[in-house]
Structures are given as structure tokens and as C-alpha cells.
Amino acid sequence: MSQVIVVIGAQWGDEGKGKIVDLLAERFDVVARYQGGHNAGHSVQVGDRSFVLHLLPSGIIHQGKTCVLGNGMVIEPKAFFEEADRLAAQGIVVTPERVLVSSRAHLILPYHRALDHTSEERLGNEKVGTTLRGIGPAYEDKAGRRGIRVADALVPEVLRARIERNLEDANRVIEAYRGQPLKADEVFDQVAPLAERLAPFIADTMHYLNRAATDGRSILIEGAQATLLDVDHGTYPFVTSSSTIAGGASIGTGLAPHRITGVLGIVRTYTTRVGEGPFPTEMLEGEAELGQLIRERGREYGASTGRPRRCGWFDAFATRYAAELNGFNSVALTKLDVLDALDEIKVCTGYKLDGRTLDTFPAVAAELRRIEPIYETLPGWQTSTVGTTDINDLPPSARAYVAFLSRAIGVEIGLISTGPERDQTIIIRDSALGSWLNN
Ligand code: GDP
């Protein structure tokens, strides 16, 4: 049976998925994305070269891999070609032979970006902290059944009619917030040539992927954002607009659910969050310096926006929730080396609300803001683990920390990342992840 593995961040994103997906991508025939748009940001380090990907799957860096942008994505055509051009300058050529874009994916149009600004302004103190790239408004149009799909944009009359209709409403909102209204002709003139340029990339990717699986080709499905940002199961309303979890992979690619053979969670040894939402284990007041240390050591600044990330302790309660929701078969634990400097490390093993210990993850964001984390404190190792490739070479306290996390989340750890480079990695051969790497 062909391997179809979904890779998902277990926390609020930026878990270091880029590196792990890149390691796996080498072993798979096809790499697909199923949700989100160019708001994602992976940094992949290959030797002394660094690639930043926003829209294209990480497989693009490897010769001979087919990359799929699935129907669940929202695609900004200009951003697609800008990324393709940037990659071309780094020697990676993005051609229709290697990249397939779903005819059913939705387009992000210039008015979506304008609406993203107004929607954040409208929310005021409750703002989500989006990347302001029009992702949310494009998904709103999709759910509102007025979206423009990639295939629609190839039919000029359809494209023009939909732009005209949608702009009537969009401009009302934009003007109400003192924005600059857009002209239908100008939007059409911007989008139509891009759609034409996109045409050779467009395919029925559902059919392509299911056939690939039938033919025994292996498929890696790459999540963007992360579990706790899922529109249904995340910390609503501080979430992204799509289904980021494993179940979303079937919807967003059209691969039948039973085709998926495994789910890998990417878990970092601590937690970060960008944007405004609740974050129970955030290092605040007394721990702000520690947060800063981790931010610097882990280079925790957004790949898409450059924003500094909020840093916090490992949240095993939230990660256990992610493990249940996604059905992780294995976990890749990243950035162990970032904790090398600490003398003590705290892990949140449970949540208390108003003095009560919770047994399920709270559904209400306001409650999450009031959580008192229950911590266990583990000894640090204060030795460099950078570049370690054998688990037996880790200091005993580091091994104990890893074993503690595995028990606390109830999933095997199949890989430990000890630095940004590909070979700065410990692979546990007899794990599910070890077997996927030997595909
Ligand atoms: P992603 O979107 O989940 O891939 O997260 P980012 O793009 O923010 O990647 C995290 C950053 O951490 C990148 O600069 C990686 O090169 C780097 N990185 C990944 N794994 C490790 C690790 O194990 N140790 C260290 N020190 N850096 C890592």
C-alpha cells in the first residue's frame, strides 16, 4: 500500500515543520498542501542555503517531486509567481510538470486584502492578529458561495461578472472604513493575465492524488499553521479560517480518508504563539527574560511577517489534545538545543480553572485566558546538544526531558531535532516515523 502521511504542527504553528517536511519530502513522490495560502511560512535550511516558502509545498526544493496545491487552499496568483521567481533565482525552477494547482482552489483577489484590514479594524481589541494577506476574507467568500475559484478565472466573462458583483459589496465595506474603493476593470486587468499564466499549472488534483495513491506512489501532505489554529477545534475565534487538522487533509485534497496511512505531529520543546490569542503557558512578567532568551536562541521571529513570537513553556495538556484530535502515530520533537542554556525546565501537565482541574481542553477563549497551568519542573542539562545525532549521546537530563514529554502526550517520539540543519537530527529507527523515513 502506498504511504500517505499527513504532517501537522501540534501547537500554534512555527514548530519547525519546514525542516521535518523537507527531510521526509526526499522519501516521497508527491508533496501536497491542503489549506491556507501564502500566510504560511516555512524556513528550510539546506547546507548554507536558506529557502523561505509561503505557498508552495516544501517538496519543491527536491528534484523530481511533484507538488500539489490542493482544493482547500486559497491562492494569491501574484504571490504564487513571486515565490516561483524567487525560487528560480535560487536555482529551483517551478514548472507545470512539477506543480499542479487545483482547479477548485479559491483565488485571493485584491479586495480580499483590503477587507482583511477593515475586518481587523472592526474587531478592535478583539482582533485576531491575521497576516493581512486576504486569507480570511477569501475563505469567507468561499463559505458565502461568492468565491472565485481558479477554474472560474480562466473564463473571462465569469471572472469579470463575479469581480463586478463582489466588488459592489466589498467596496461598501471598504469605504465605510475609509479605505480606497477598488475598480472592477482594474481588478480584472490585474487578475486575468495572472490567471492565464496560471492556466498550465491547473489540474484536477483530486483525481491526480487518488490515482497516484492507487498507483502506489507515496504522498506527503503538508499542513500549514497548526492544530490549535484550526477553525473548528482551535482556540476560536483566535484561529485561521481553514481546517488545519488531519481530517482537513482529506477535504482539502480530495484524497479519500482511508487513503491516509499515518499522521505525524510536529512538536517543539517549548511553545510559541503569534497574534493575539490566549496562551496559557506564556512566559510573562517574572519570566520575560527567559522568554527573550528562547526567542533569541530559537530565532522566534515570524517567517512571513518578521513579528517576534510570544514564547512559553511546553504545554503537554494542549499537545495531548492535539494528539487525540489528529491521531498522531508519531511525533517529531524539534528545537531541543534551544533549551540547552536553561537550568530548570517547566512543563504544563494540566489546566486549572477557578481552582478546578480540567479534563478537557476549554472551548471558550476567555476561559483559556484565565487558565492556571499545573507545572512540573524538570532539571535542565546546560550542555550543548547542538548537532547530536544519536539519542545515547544526549545528556541524561535531556533524555529524561524527551521521555517525559512523550509520556505526557501519550505518543512515541520518532525524531528529535538538534539544530536547523538536515543532519542535526536524531532518528529513532524503530518508530513509525523512522519507517516513513525509510520509505
Ligand atoms: P515552521 O513554519 O514550522 O517550519 O517554522 P519556522 O519556519 O519558523 O522554522 C523554525 C526555524 O527554526 C527555522 O529557522 C529553522 O531553520 C529552525 N529550526 C528548525 N529546527 C530546529 C532545531 O531543532 N534547532 C534549532 N536551533 N533551530 C531549528
Side-chain angles (χ1 to χ4, degrees):
M1 192 169 62
S2 91
Q3 290 280 23
V4 180
I5 305 297
V6 188
V7 183
I8 300 168
Q11 297 149 334
W12 281 286
D14 309 310
E15 290 90 356
K17 211 166 41 242
K19 168 178 162 171
I20 309 301
V21 171
D22 179 56
L23 274 174
L24 281 158
E26 267 181 327
R27 318 281 170 170
F28 284 74
D29 300 313
V30 181
V31 186
R33 271 189 63 183
Y34 59 96
Q35 43 74 229
H38 63 307
N39 52 339
H42 287 315
S43 332
V44 185
Q45 192 80 31
V46 184
D48 55 1
R49 299 203 300 165
S50 177
F51 301 91
V52 177
L53 300 169
H54 296 291
L55 192 53
L56 288 161
S58 308
I60 196 71
I61 294 167
H62 299 277
Q63 290 293 326
K65 309 291 168 189
T66 307
C67 291
V68 171
L69 278 68
N71 57 277
M73 293 187 70
V74 286
I75 293 166
E76 214 284 56
K78 192 154 152 268
F80 176 89
F81 289 112
E82 280 168 5
E83 188 157 315
D85 291 345
R86 265 200 312 276
L87 286 168
Q90 291 186 283
I92 288 165
V93 189
V94 176
T95 60
E97 286 69 47
R98 293 197 56 205
V99 177
L100 310 182
V101 176
S102 168
S103 51
R104 291 179 169 81
H106 280 247
L107 286 179
I108 300 178
L109 296 168
Y111 51 85
H112 290 127
R113 187 190 283 255
L115 288 170
D116 215 341
H117 281 274
T118 64
S119 132
E120 283 288 88
E121 200 177 317
R122 234 169 356 189
L123 289 167
N125 288 342
E126 292 272 282
K127 71 176 188 205
V128 180
T130 77
T131 50
L132 299 174
R133 300 206 165 148
I135 311 285
Y139 276 114
E140 279 178 43
D141 276 1
K142 172 179 172 175
R145 292 165 296 183
R146 26 169 212 277
I148 302 179
R149 307 209 285 187
V150 166
D152 299 325
L154 294 182
V155 189
E157 335 49 285
V158 173
L159 179 64
R160 188 181 289 278
R162 298 228 177 137
I163 289 175
E164 280 172 4
R165 190 191 58 192
N166 288 353
L167 260 187
E168 256 179 56
D169 284 340
N171 276 340
R172 263 188 226 121
V173 179
I174 293 167
E175 282 179 280
Y177 285 87
R178 296 171 303 281
Q180 203 53 37
L182 287 88
K183 294 199 173 65
D185 281 346
E186 287 175 16
V187 172
F188 178 84
D189 290 344
Q190 272 178 44
V191 177
L194 288 166
E196 219 168 281
R197 202 176 153 199
L198 199 60
F201 293 89
I202 301 173
D204 181 343
T205 51
M206 179 286 286
H207 178 62
Y208 176 85
L209 288 168
N210 280 291
R211 208 188 45 203
T214 301
D215 293 347
R217 304 179 72 202
S218 55
I219 304 172
L220 184 66
I221 311 181
E222 179 183 334
Q225 291 85 44
T227 302
L228 297 175
L229 296 171
D230 181 85
V231 67
D232 285 273
H233 299 277
T235 49
Y236 193 87
F238 300 96
V239 292
T240 196
S241 321
S242 57
S243 299
T244 59
I245 62 166
S250 176
I251 297 168
T253 59
L255 265 167
H258 70 270
R259 301 270 198 195
I260 296 171
T261 54
V263 184
L264 171 68
I266 312 293
V267 169
R268 182 174 33 188
T269 52
Y270 52 93
T271 316
T272 69
R273 178 156 204 176
V274 286
E276 311 290 333
F279 182 4
T281 62
E282 184 167 13
M283 293 165 176
L284 295 167
E285 285 102 60
E287 297 180 323
E289 261 178 46
L290 218 48
Q292 186 58 24
L293 177 80
I294 287 179
R295 189 172 305 119
E296 291 310 320
R297 286 184 61 88
R299 292 203 239 133
E300 299 297 351
Y301 296 89
S304 276
T305 59
R307 288 186 287 189
R309 296 174 183 150
R310 298 153 66 193
C311 293
W313 298 111
F314 187 83
D315 187 338
F317 191 74
T319 311
R320 210 151 59 223
Y321 172 73
E324 181 174 31
L325 184 55
N326 291 303
F328 293 147
N329 302 95
S330 197
V331 151
L333 183 66
T334 64
K335 296 200 166 183
L336 183 70
D337 57 299
V338 172
L339 302 187
D340 285 352
L342 306 190
D343 60 344
E344 282 187 334
I345 305 171
K346 294 204 297 195
V347 177
C348 165
T349 54
Y351 282 4
K352 266 192 179 169
L353 182 66
D354 303 329
R356 224 167 15 94
T357 304
L358 301 188
D359 44 30
T360 55
F361 194 75
V364 180
E367 288 186 353
L368 261 178
R369 289 199 194 280
R370 294 194 289 112
I371 288 297
E372 301 157 59
I374 302 167
Y375 284 116
E376 287 204 30
T377 302
L378 282 81
W381 42 93
Q382 296 188 291
T383 315
S384 171
T385 62
V386 178
T388 307
T389 54
D390 185 335
I391 192 157
N392 298 310
D393 294 338
L394 286 179
S397 301
R399 274 212 304 274
Y401 182 69
V402 171
F404 184 89
L405 296 192
S406 175
R407 272 198 311 278
I409 61 178
V411 185
E412 67 164 35
I413 288 174
L415 178 156
I416 304 161
S417 175
T418 55
E421 305 277 335
R422 239 184 247 205
D423 55 2
Q424 295 177 314
T425 307
I426 299 169
I427 296 166
I428 314 296
R429 295 277 160 210
D430 58 354
S431 65
L433 175 51
S435 74
W436 300 333
L437 282 165
N438 283 329
N439 218 9

